[in-house]
């Protein structure tokens, strides 16, 4: 119940998490209240296989979640994947009921550190350095409407044991003779040529991975989300609802298992690199690879992102600000007119230079 309703002890208004104060804050009377039990549960990694075996494979969460605002009693249909948000009528924090959540709950959060005003400032600086941005977009940026979103991510730890077969290539040089034409005469010459001798190779390598990060839903373009990395996962603290109050929390839609499938793809290059080093020689070929994963652990964590999305010429553009570092990533429209005028300007400049050089 405390998750749903947390009134300011001074004026009764709903408290929210403040990025500036790293505490609960009342927007009405500006009171500050400490966060309960200083960060909630410990940040613990959970066994992957045990959790997978214990999951109910039936329907995980309802498609449509209805939440009731404890402040103004409005009934709200939450957007897809959203389990906590602000009331669209009175702006108070609202939370989806326990039973309408997915089976696995986030264990840890990196709290917002950059507030809305600071995010907007980072965003404006970023926009100013973009060339050929349509004027309408620049104007829109000044009044950017950012949404504070906690994005769910899976992180996986595991060990791998990989049996491989391949070939080790060693360079050697041979002397090759050839015919060249010098001063109109044919002459015999020699040169050194590099060749590779291949030897069979096979063996086993081991790797250890920690915190392989996989976005746990597709609500935002994955390429943009991935560009916000790296996150300092050392800043993770135990999940607790006080940290979410006033922000949007999204749930996962990528399952624990398919998330691990993506983690395997991320781990693969490092495993192959280890194999190459084990094979040695000057150049390597990898023919067969069999990876066994063991001691797999995972965490479901929430990462803080400011999201701004707007429509321009019927296309939606999305801008993200990492709410820890202020890093901005975004899709951007191009102003065709600005590019055309710039090209004309450059052509005129070149023509002018040529004209004066010819005089
Ligand atoms: Zn208050
Ligand atoms: Zn409300």
């Amino acid at each position: 119940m405390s998750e749903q309703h947390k009134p300011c002890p001074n004026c009764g208004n709903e408290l929210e998490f403040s990025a500036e104060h790293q505490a609960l804050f009342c927007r009405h009377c500006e009171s500050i209240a400490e966060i309960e039990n200083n960060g909630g549960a410990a940040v613990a990694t959970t066994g992957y296989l045990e959790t997978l075996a214990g999951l109910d494979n039936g329907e995980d969460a309802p498609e449509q979640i209805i939440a009731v605002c404890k402040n103004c009693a409005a009934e709200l249909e939450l957007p897809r994947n959203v389990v906590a948000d602000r009331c669209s009528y009175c702006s108070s924090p609202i939370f989806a009921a326990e039973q309408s959540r997915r089976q696995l709950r986030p264990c840890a959060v990196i709290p917002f550190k950059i507030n809305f005003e600071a995010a907007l400032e980072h965003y404006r600086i970023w926009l100013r350095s973009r060339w050929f941005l349509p004027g309408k977009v620049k104007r829109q940026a000044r009044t950017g409407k950012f949404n504070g979103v906690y994005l769910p991510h899976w992180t996986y730890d595991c060990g791998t044991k990989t049996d491989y077969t391949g070939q080790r290539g060693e360079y050697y040089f041979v002397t090759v003779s050839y015919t060249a034409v010098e001063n109109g005469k044919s002459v015999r010459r020699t040169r050194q040529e590099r060749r590779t001798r291949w030897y069979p190779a096979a063996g086993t390598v081991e790797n250890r991975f920690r915190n392989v990060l996989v976005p746990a839903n597709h609500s935002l373009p994955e390429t943009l989300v991935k560009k916000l990395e790296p996150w300092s996962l050392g800043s993770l603290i135990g999940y607790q609802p006080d940290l979410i109050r006033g922000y949007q929390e999204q749930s996962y839609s990528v399952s624990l298992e398919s998330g691990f499938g993506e983690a395997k793809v991320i781990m693969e290059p490092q495993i192959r690199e280890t194999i190459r080093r084990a094979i040695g020689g000057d150049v390597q070929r990898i023919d067969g690879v069999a990876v066994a994963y063991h001691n797999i652990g995972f965490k479901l964590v929430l990462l803080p992102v400011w999201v701004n999305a707007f429509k321009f010429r019927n296309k939606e553009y999305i801008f993200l600000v990492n709410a820890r570092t202020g890093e901005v990533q975004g899709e951007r429209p191009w102003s065709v007119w600005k590019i055309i005028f710039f090209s004309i300007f450059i052509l005129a400049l070149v023509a002018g230079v040529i004209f004066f050089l010819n005089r």
Side-chain angles (χ1 to χ4, degrees), residues 3 46 78 86 93 104 120 132 134 137 167-169 173 219 231 242 269 297 311 318 328 341 345 349 351:
E3 174 184 275
T46 314
L78 296 178
R86 277 177 186 280
L104 300 174
L120 191 59
F132 306 127
V137 175
Q167 295 166 63
R168 183 179 72 250
F173 290 85
S219 67
W231 293 90
D242 278 359
K311 273 218 161 87
I318 292 174
V328 183
F341 282 129
F345 171 73
L349 204 68

Side-chain angles (χ1 to χ4, degrees), residues 3 38 59 86 146 180 205 226 298 302 324 332 351 356:
E3 174 184 275
N38 220 6
E59 192 46 51
R86 277 177 186 280
F146 274 94
V205 293
K226 290 218 154 197
F298 77 95
L302 297 174
R324 296 294 289 192
R332 48 154 306 168
F356 278 107

Side-chain angles (χ1 to χ4, degrees), residues 7-15 25-32:
C8 167
N10 186 37
C11 73
N13 190 50
E14 288 291 328
L15 291 170
F25 182 71
C26 172
R27 286 201 292 167
H28 190 244
C29 73
E30 301 193 342
S31 295
I32 294 168

Side-chain angles (χ1 to χ4, degrees), residues 69 71-74 87 89-92 94:
C69 174
N71 187 50
C72 74
C87 170
Y89 298 96
C90 72
S91 189
S92 297
I94 49 166

